[in-house]
Amino acid sequence: MTFLTQVLNGLQLGSIYALVALGYTMVYGIILLLNFAHGDIIMVGAYISWVAMASLGLHPAIAVVLSIGGCALLGVLIDKVAYAPLRNAPRLSILITAIGVSYFLENGAQLVFGADAKVVPAFVDAPNIVVGDAHVSVIAVITIVVTAVSTAVLTFLVQRTKLGRAMRAVSEDMGAARLMGINVNTTISFTFAVGSALAGIGAILYSMAYAQATPTMGIMLGTKAFVAAVLGGIGSIPGAVIGGLLVGFAEVLVSAIGLSVWKDAVVFALLIIVLIVRPTGILGRTMNEKV
């Protein structure tokens, strides 16, 4: 039953990466921006949960709502303050701004909460599920289910709703979408809100699994989620999920054979191999640009 345990561990870790990668891929798909502050939004979500439950003594359900809502609002605020004024600036300027926002959030969290790790109280208190000789973690099951539901809701939102059609129109041609009466800035802000809300869900699931919040927790988590988005084909929702699961299973497999110190290296090696074989990612599509 060790095999079942490792599969669930891979699904759990991969699901967290997938949720974060979805936020990356949504923003990139709309405005071609690599939002390197996305990982730090997860960090903020974890601290909101910690403050809500450890400091204020609120119910975990309220902490979940506050974390998701807080991350969504933070994403919109970052777009309005940092990215919107540079909408017509060179892409490099926006990229540098994203890195600056990331450092601002990390150092701001360190000033406010200190550099030490904060222990996030448990969201759920339930015994493991016994399947034969294996003990299945309830948190792992919750993580997998929440990721599946979130992905399905996001797919419906993008494919079947008016706002989703506006997002796809802006993604295809921002100028033409503006001429057709679509409010481009509102659509981009909505995209940031949805992507950041997914980061908030990811923060909760990560806190459930590892029960801690640190100012730098979003760096490696965000980087691996970005790798997952590129692996699957950045801009593709199914690709982000597949990439996240690949990264999660790669880490679990390397750790299972006793090479846990190499798990980060294996993830980036996997990225290099995929980029050599298929530069657009597994489900990415080649973009033809007229010059």
Side-chain angles (χ1 to χ4, degrees), residues 215-246:
T216 58
M217 64 179 284
I219 297 176
M220 187 55 69
L221 179 58
T223 302
K224 289 181 179 178
F226 172 68
V227 170
V230 175
L231 282 177
I234 194 161
S236 168
I237 293 176
V241 176
I242 292 173
L245 293 177
L246 280 176

Short mmCIF file of all heavy atoms in Angstrom, two decimals, residues 215-246:
data_model
loop_
_atom_site.label_atom_id
_atom_site.label_comp_id
_atom_site.label_asym_id
_atom_site.label_seq_id
_atom_site.Cartn_x
_atom_site.Cartn_y
_atom_site.Cartn_z
N PRO A 215 7.76 34.50 5.37
CA PRO A 215 7.78 35.55 4.34
C PRO A 215 8.29 35.09 2.98
O PRO A 215 7.95 35.68 1.95
CB PRO A 215 8.72 36.62 4.94
CG PRO A 215 8.67 36.38 6.41
CD PRO A 215 8.51 34.91 6.57
N THR A 216 9.11 34.05 2.96
CA THR A 216 9.71 33.60 1.70
C THR A 216 9.08 32.31 1.17
O THR A 216 9.61 31.73 0.22
CB THR A 216 11.22 33.38 1.88
OG1 THR A 216 11.45 32.43 2.93
CG2 THR A 216 11.92 34.70 2.24
N MET A 217 7.99 31.88 1.72
CA MET A 217 7.40 30.60 1.32
C MET A 217 6.91 30.62 -0.13
O MET A 217 6.83 29.57 -0.78
CB MET A 217 6.23 30.25 2.25
CG MET A 217 5.07 31.22 2.18
SD MET A 217 3.69 30.78 3.27
CE MET A 217 2.94 29.45 2.35
N GLY A 218 6.61 31.80 -0.65
CA GLY A 218 6.08 31.87 -2.00
C GLY A 218 7.12 31.79 -3.09
O GLY A 218 6.78 31.60 -4.26
N ILE A 219 8.41 31.91 -2.73
CA ILE A 219 9.46 31.96 -3.76
C ILE A 219 9.54 30.64 -4.51
O ILE A 219 9.34 30.57 -5.73
CB ILE A 219 10.82 32.32 -3.14
CG1 ILE A 219 10.77 33.72 -2.52
CG2 ILE A 219 11.91 32.26 -4.20
CD1 ILE A 219 12.05 34.11 -1.81
N MET A 220 9.87 29.56 -3.79
CA MET A 220 10.04 28.27 -4.46
C MET A 220 8.70 27.71 -4.92
O MET A 220 8.62 27.10 -5.99
CB MET A 220 10.74 27.29 -3.52
CG MET A 220 11.12 25.96 -4.19
SD MET A 220 12.14 26.16 -5.68
CE MET A 220 13.68 26.75 -4.96
N LEU A 221 7.66 27.92 -4.12
CA LEU A 221 6.34 27.44 -4.51
C LEU A 221 5.89 28.11 -5.81
O LEU A 221 5.40 27.45 -6.74
CB LEU A 221 5.33 27.71 -3.39
CG LEU A 221 3.87 27.30 -3.65
CD1 LEU A 221 3.79 25.81 -3.96
CD2 LEU A 221 3.00 27.64 -2.44
N GLY A 222 6.08 29.41 -5.90
CA GLY A 222 5.71 30.13 -7.11
C GLY A 222 6.57 29.74 -8.29
O GLY A 222 6.09 29.62 -9.42
N THR A 223 7.87 29.53 -8.04
CA THR A 223 8.78 29.14 -9.12
C THR A 223 8.41 27.78 -9.69
O THR A 223 8.38 27.58 -10.91
CB THR A 223 10.24 29.11 -8.62
OG1 THR A 223 10.59 30.40 -8.09
CG2 THR A 223 11.20 28.76 -9.74
N LYS A 224 8.11 26.82 -8.82
CA LYS A 224 7.74 25.48 -9.29
C LYS A 224 6.38 25.51 -10.00
O LYS A 224 6.17 24.76 -10.96
CB LYS A 224 7.72 24.50 -8.12
CG LYS A 224 9.11 24.19 -7.60
CD LYS A 224 9.07 23.18 -6.46
CE LYS A 224 10.46 22.86 -5.98
NZ LYS A 224 10.45 21.91 -4.83
N ALA A 225 5.48 26.36 -9.53
CA ALA A 225 4.20 26.48 -10.22
C ALA A 225 4.40 27.10 -11.60
O ALA A 225 3.72 26.71 -12.56
CB ALA A 225 3.25 27.34 -9.39
N PHE A 226 5.33 28.05 -11.71
CA PHE A 226 5.65 28.61 -13.02
C PHE A 226 6.24 27.54 -13.94
O PHE A 226 5.89 27.47 -15.12
CB PHE A 226 6.64 29.77 -12.85
CG PHE A 226 7.19 30.29 -14.15
CD1 PHE A 226 6.37 30.94 -15.05
CD2 PHE A 226 8.53 30.11 -14.46
CE1 PHE A 226 6.88 31.43 -16.24
CE2 PHE A 226 9.04 30.58 -15.65
CZ PHE A 226 8.23 31.25 -16.54
N VAL A 227 7.10 26.71 -13.38
CA VAL A 227 7.65 25.58 -14.16
C VAL A 227 6.51 24.68 -14.63
O VAL A 227 6.49 24.23 -15.78
CB VAL A 227 8.65 24.79 -13.30
CG1 VAL A 227 9.03 23.47 -14.00
CG2 VAL A 227 9.90 25.60 -13.03
N ALA A 228 5.55 24.43 -13.74
CA ALA A 228 4.41 23.58 -14.10
C ALA A 228 3.61 24.20 -15.24
O ALA A 228 3.18 23.50 -16.17
CB ALA A 228 3.51 23.37 -12.88
N ALA A 229 3.40 25.53 -15.19
CA ALA A 229 2.65 26.20 -16.25
C ALA A 229 3.37 26.11 -17.58
O ALA A 229 2.75 25.89 -18.63
CB ALA A 229 2.43 27.68 -15.86
N VAL A 230 4.69 26.26 -17.55
CA VAL A 230 5.48 26.18 -18.79
C VAL A 230 5.50 24.74 -19.31
O VAL A 230 5.40 24.51 -20.52
CB VAL A 230 6.92 26.68 -18.54
CG1 VAL A 230 7.78 26.47 -19.78
CG2 VAL A 230 6.90 28.16 -18.16
N LEU A 231 5.61 23.77 -18.41
CA LEU A 231 5.61 22.37 -18.82
C LEU A 231 4.32 22.01 -19.55
O LEU A 231 4.34 21.37 -20.61
CB LEU A 231 5.76 21.46 -17.60
CG LEU A 231 7.15 21.28 -17.01
CD1 LEU A 231 7.07 20.41 -15.76
CD2 LEU A 231 8.10 20.67 -18.01
N GLY A 232 3.20 22.42 -18.98
CA GLY A 232 1.91 22.07 -19.58
C GLY A 232 1.58 22.90 -20.80
O GLY A 232 0.74 22.49 -21.62
N GLY A 233 2.22 24.05 -20.96
CA GLY A 233 1.90 24.96 -22.05
C GLY A 233 1.25 26.20 -21.47
O GLY A 233 0.04 26.20 -21.23
N ILE A 234 2.03 27.22 -21.22
CA ILE A 234 1.51 28.40 -20.53
C ILE A 234 0.41 29.05 -21.37
O ILE A 234 0.55 29.23 -22.58
CB ILE A 234 2.65 29.39 -20.20
CG1 ILE A 234 2.18 30.43 -19.20
CG2 ILE A 234 3.23 30.01 -21.45
CD1 ILE A 234 3.30 31.15 -18.48
N GLY A 235 -0.69 29.36 -20.73
CA GLY A 235 -1.88 29.85 -21.42
C GLY A 235 -2.96 28.81 -21.54
O GLY A 235 -4.08 29.11 -21.92
N SER A 236 -2.64 27.55 -21.19
CA SER A 236 -3.59 26.45 -21.29
C SER A 236 -4.02 25.99 -19.90
O SER A 236 -3.17 25.67 -19.06
CB SER A 236 -2.96 25.27 -22.05
OG SER A 236 -3.75 24.11 -21.94
N ILE A 237 -5.33 25.98 -19.64
CA ILE A 237 -5.83 25.54 -18.34
C ILE A 237 -5.55 24.05 -18.10
O ILE A 237 -4.98 23.69 -17.07
CB ILE A 237 -7.33 25.86 -18.20
CG1 ILE A 237 -7.53 27.37 -18.14
CG2 ILE A 237 -7.92 25.20 -16.94
CD1 ILE A 237 -8.98 27.80 -18.10
N PRO A 238 -5.90 23.15 -19.03
CA PRO A 238 -5.54 21.73 -18.83
C PRO A 238 -4.04 21.54 -18.74
O PRO A 238 -3.56 20.69 -17.98
CB PRO A 238 -6.12 21.03 -20.06
CG PRO A 238 -7.13 21.96 -20.62
CD PRO A 238 -6.65 23.34 -20.29
N GLY A 239 -3.28 22.34 -19.49
CA GLY A 239 -1.83 22.23 -19.45
C GLY A 239 -1.27 22.57 -18.08
O GLY A 239 -0.33 21.91 -17.59
N ALA A 240 -1.84 23.59 -17.42
CA ALA A 240 -1.37 23.96 -16.08
C ALA A 240 -1.61 22.83 -15.09
O ALA A 240 -0.77 22.55 -14.23
CB ALA A 240 -2.10 25.22 -15.62
N VAL A 241 -2.76 22.15 -15.22
CA VAL A 241 -3.07 21.03 -14.32
C VAL A 241 -2.11 19.87 -14.58
O VAL A 241 -1.55 19.28 -13.63
CB VAL A 241 -4.53 20.58 -14.51
CG1 VAL A 241 -4.82 19.35 -13.65
CG2 VAL A 241 -5.48 21.71 -14.15
N ILE A 242 -1.90 19.54 -15.85
CA ILE A 242 -0.99 18.44 -16.19
C ILE A 242 0.43 18.76 -15.72
O ILE A 242 1.12 17.91 -15.14
CB ILE A 242 -1.01 18.18 -17.71
CG1 ILE A 242 -2.37 17.62 -18.12
CG2 ILE A 242 0.11 17.22 -18.12
CD1 ILE A 242 -2.55 17.49 -19.62
N GLY A 243 0.87 20.00 -15.96
CA GLY A 243 2.20 20.40 -15.52
C GLY A 243 2.35 20.33 -14.01
O GLY A 243 3.38 19.87 -13.50
N GLY A 244 1.34 20.78 -13.28
CA GLY A 244 1.38 20.72 -11.82
C GLY A 244 1.49 19.30 -11.31
O GLY A 244 2.27 19.00 -10.39
N LEU A 245 0.71 18.39 -11.91
CA LEU A 245 0.76 16.99 -11.49
C LEU A 245 2.11 16.37 -11.83
O LEU A 245 2.65 15.58 -11.04
CB LEU A 245 -0.37 16.21 -12.15
CG LEU A 245 -1.79 16.58 -11.71
CD1 LEU A 245 -2.82 15.79 -12.50
CD2 LEU A 245 -1.98 16.34 -10.21
N LEU A 246 2.68 16.73 -12.98
CA LEU A 246 4.00 16.21 -13.35
C LEU A 246 5.05 16.64 -12.34
O LEU A 246 5.89 15.82 -11.90
CB LEU A 246 4.38 16.68 -14.75
CG LEU A 246 3.78 15.93 -15.94
CD1 LEU A 246 4.19 16.61 -17.24
CD2 LEU A 246 4.22 14.48 -15.92
#
